Amino acid sequence: MASRLTPAPSRETEFFWSGLKDQKLLIQRCADCQTLRVPPRPMCGRCQSLQWDCVESTGRGTVCSYVMPKYPPLPFLEYPYIVALIDLEEGVRMVSNLCDVAPEEVTNGMAVEAFYEAFNDDELVLHQFRPAR
């Protein structure tokens, strides 16, 4: 069994998944008005442009909110696990897992940093976050 479900990249998300394989956290940016957007999508919500590129995130941010799902139990996850909403330094929010911290030590506003973990025999690389060092 796979240790994580593998996403199906689209035209708008292929850059993101390829970036993770290179250990880069990439954020989609409107090529016309420079607005950053997460998750990636075809059209800019601000100026309706269909033109975009991407920028590399520093991978640093803070915990905005978090939850520890328990049900339904999934056989490929180790419990407890923490799903966090991360405010990146670049001004966008992203959902990810929070690792290397006890659940009772997590706080809103906690400084975190990205790291990259390979799954499914190294075919899938995902961004994860841990407390900033």
Side-chain angles (χ1 to χ4, degrees):
M1 177 181 293
S3 61
R4 286 288 201 263
L5 298 176
T6 303
S10 67
R11 180 181 170 274
E12 289 80 28
T13 64
E14 178 62 38
F15 79 95
F16 178 79
W17 301 111
S18 294
L20 291 178
K21 287 183 179 182
D22 294 332
Q23 298 198 354
K24 294 179 180 179
L25 186 57
L26 300 177
I27 302 170
Q28 190 181 48
R29 175 178 63 184
C30 176
D32 290 327
C33 74
Q34 308 301 299
T35 299
L36 298 177
R37 55 190 192 241
V38 174
R41 47 198 175 271
M43 181 183 288
C44 177
R46 185 177 203 193
C47 74
Q48 288 70 54
S49 172
L50 297 173
Q51 305 304 312
W52 59 269
D53 58 11
C54 61
V55 295
E56 185 175 354
S57 170
T58 64
R60 292 187 297 268
T62 58
V63 173
C64 172
S65 183
Y66 63 96
V67 64
M68 292 178 286
K70 296 179 182 176
Y71 188 84
L74 301 172
F76 50 83
L77 291 175
E78 291 182 34
Y79 291 84
Y81 77 99
I82 304 165
V83 178
L85 185 59
I86 306 295
D87 285 332
L88 293 175
E89 283 185 344
E90 292 77 14
V92 294
R93 285 186 174 161
M94 143 178 298
V95 175
S96 187
N97 292 106
L98 187 56
C99 306
D100 301 337
V101 62
E104 61 274 8
E105 294 176 6
V106 179
T107 60
N108 292 340
M110 168 188 268
V112 293
E113 64 185 9
F115 71 98
Y116 305 89
E117 190 170 355
F119 296 93
N120 304 348
D121 297 324
D122 296 334
E123 288 189 29
L124 173 66
V125 176
L126 294 177
H127 61 293
Q128 311 281 298
F129 284 84
R130 62 182 167 218
R133 296 178 184 178

